Amino acid sequence: MTRSVRYHRDVPGYYVENFGCRATQADGAALERQFEECGISRASTPAQASVVVMNTCTVTAGADQDARAAIRRVRRQNPDAQIVVTGCYAQRAPKEIAVLPGVSLVVGNSHKHRLADIVSAAPEALAFVPLTTLTTPPGSREPEAGSPIFVSDIFAHTELLAAPVFDAANERTRPNLKVQDGCDNRCSFCVIPFVRGQSRSLPIDRILREVNGLVESGYREVVISGINLGRWGRDLSGKPTLESLIRAILAETALEKLRISSVEPMDWSDELISLVATSARIAKHAHVPMQSGSDTVLRRMHRKYRPWHYREKIEKIRAAMPSAAIGADVMVGFPGETEADFDATRRMIEDLPFTYLHVFTYSPRPGTPAAAMTNQVPVHLARERNRILRELAAEKKLAFMRSFIGKPLDAITLNVVGTDAAGEFTEALTDNYLKLRLRGRHEPNRWLRARVEDVVDGALVGREAISNPRIENSIAIPQAFRGNSRRGRRTSEQRVSW
């Protein structure tokens, strides 16, 4: 059905600017799909757009500040544009955003699934939606005329926006597909359940259609992600598991490489570890949020595992996959974190075989239990702890990278070519999640075997292996997917090897 679209001025199309996590990026891709289905074209920059959508994050106070700064920037660059603010910040503090100069609309996550329709409506059709369940932040006021709000109870929300995300540098190589949204956990520091709602899953038939569509278009690696990916399927009929989803993707698509994003420690079952370890079509990469190595802090965080549980999971993953990337999220400066608590975290990181860390400094989020806790850690102390862990993480990552010098690694070439003192190189990403500078110019979206020669500026340096031997764990594509087709398929005589 063709929708009627009226613009405020004769300027090409829309522009979506995303902030924050992979889930937000995935929402942004779904928003772009909405606008395209409305017949609205994408502008190349915010300055050229008639509608600029700010798809926000609110995980920290810094994320809120980034969004406000971006709104001011767009208003300066393009004063006639409609600025539409959506995402997690919009869901959490809509009144606060609605009074910001230049904001035309505030559309929470509860209404994001029909944002393009809302924007496409005539201005007189827009109406203020009362916010009976939300508190007014200090210093804010009722929205001015012309700044309508579309926000409702996020826990009544059942829609799940899903569209593949294509990062500019990874275009044509590694799309990200969100298959789960929301969270039923109640970590004391986290605002995400209150801005994204209850856990909900993309049905398996929809996921398989998306993955098969990507394979048909030539993509060789797909990343599946979610706010709480390990809970995928719990809300669906029959309560399928993440493991069953992975098996279905392997069995019913010709995807060459599946990468799994962050999965909570309690969801790394023995079955999941074995599945990732034994399938050559799954990237050897495990991201397992840790948050703290202190049992006292984990309990105050309302995390569902103890330090010894976490240690056991990481050790099992490393035993099953000796060369896998193993990463974690770690928070410092949580209310009441003592020197002894921090030391427990530092020692656990030293002991465990992490290859990278995402280290965050605690940021109080309005309405969360942690924000009301006493003994808030001074900012300067939290920042110092952050620095210590980042330096420790850098040391562990460098040691991990150096362990591959002189050895072969499988990698997918990306859509970026650069030069350094040694000449031209093509950026690539290894199966175990390491950046690789591959000497020479190579076609993007190609899996190959490289021999690592050095580590320079935080990246492996190597060359394509000349012999390109058939490796032991060659990938058998399911019989149903063999035969001639578009890019990404193989003939019945071929097997994918790298």
Side-chain angles (χ1 to χ4, degrees), residues 292-354:
S292 178
S294 163
D295 185 49
T296 301
V297 172
L298 288 176
R299 289 179 187 276
R300 287 205 305 272
M301 286 179 167
H302 300 169
R303 300 290 285 171
K304 294 184 176 181
Y305 53 89
R306 308 275 64 83
W308 47 92
H309 298 149
Y310 188 88
R311 181 183 294 271
E312 179 184 27
K313 292 292 186 181
I314 298 301
E315 290 174 346
K316 281 186 175 182
I317 292 170
R318 175 55 77 225
M321 295 177 280
S323 63
I326 302 178
D329 301 323
V330 182
M331 181 180 291
V332 296
F334 186 80
E337 182 187 60
T338 65
E339 283 297 329
D341 293 328
F342 173 69
D343 192 56
T345 298
R346 182 188 56 77
R347 283 186 284 107
M348 178 173 278
I349 292 170
E350 286 179 341
D351 291 346
L352 291 177
F354 293 117

Side-chain angles (χ1 to χ4, degrees), residues 215-292:
V215 172
E216 285 290 324
S217 297
Y219 296 98
R220 298 173 183 270
E221 177 179 319
V222 173
V223 184
I224 57 170
S225 64
I227 292 294
N228 191 356
L229 180 61
R231 301 281 102 176
W232 179 88
R234 306 297 175 92
D235 58 310
L236 299 177
S237 176
K239 298 188 182 302
T241 63
L242 177 62
E243 293 87 345
S244 67
L245 170 62
I246 293 169
R247 292 186 189 282
I249 292 173
L250 297 179
E252 300 184 41
T253 79
L255 181 65
E256 293 181 21
K257 187 73 71 171
L258 175 67
R259 191 176 298 272
I260 302 165
S261 68
S262 180
V263 174
E264 290 286 333
M266 52 276 196
D267 293 322
W268 277 96
S269 65
D270 289 349
E271 181 186 0
L272 179 59
I273 294 171
S274 176
L275 185 57
V276 175
T278 57
S279 174
R281 292 173 63 198
I282 303 177
K284 302 303 175 275
H285 179 192
H287 189 91
V288 191
M290 171 182 167
Q291 305 306 351
S292 178

Side-chain angles (χ1 to χ4, degrees), residues 65-78:
Q65 293 169 2
D66 289 345
R68 292 193 296 269
I71 291 168
R72 292 192 294 269
R73 170 178 50 78
V74 170
R75 186 175 181 239
R76 287 193 306 270
Q77 295 174 346
N78 191 353

Side-chain angles (χ1 to χ4, degrees), residues 44-114:
S44 57
T45 68
Q48 297 174 318
S50 59
V51 176
V52 179
V53 178
M54 315 299 287
N55 188 25
T56 62
C57 172
T58 195
V59 71
T60 64
D64 295 346
Q65 293 169 2
D66 289 345
R68 292 193 296 269
I71 291 168
R72 292 192 294 269
R73 170 178 50 78
V74 170
R75 186 175 181 239
R76 287 193 306 270
Q77 295 174 346
N78 191 353
D80 294 327
Q82 286 191 80
I83 298 178
V84 180
V85 184
T86 188
C88 294
Y89 186 17
Q91 183 69 33
R92 185 186 68 78
K95 293 182 181 180
E96 177 180 314
I97 296 170
V99 299
L100 295 176
V103 173
S104 302
L105 282 170
V106 180
V107 181
N109 284 335
S110 59
H111 286 66
K112 190 186 281 186
H113 61 287
R114 60 185 190 93

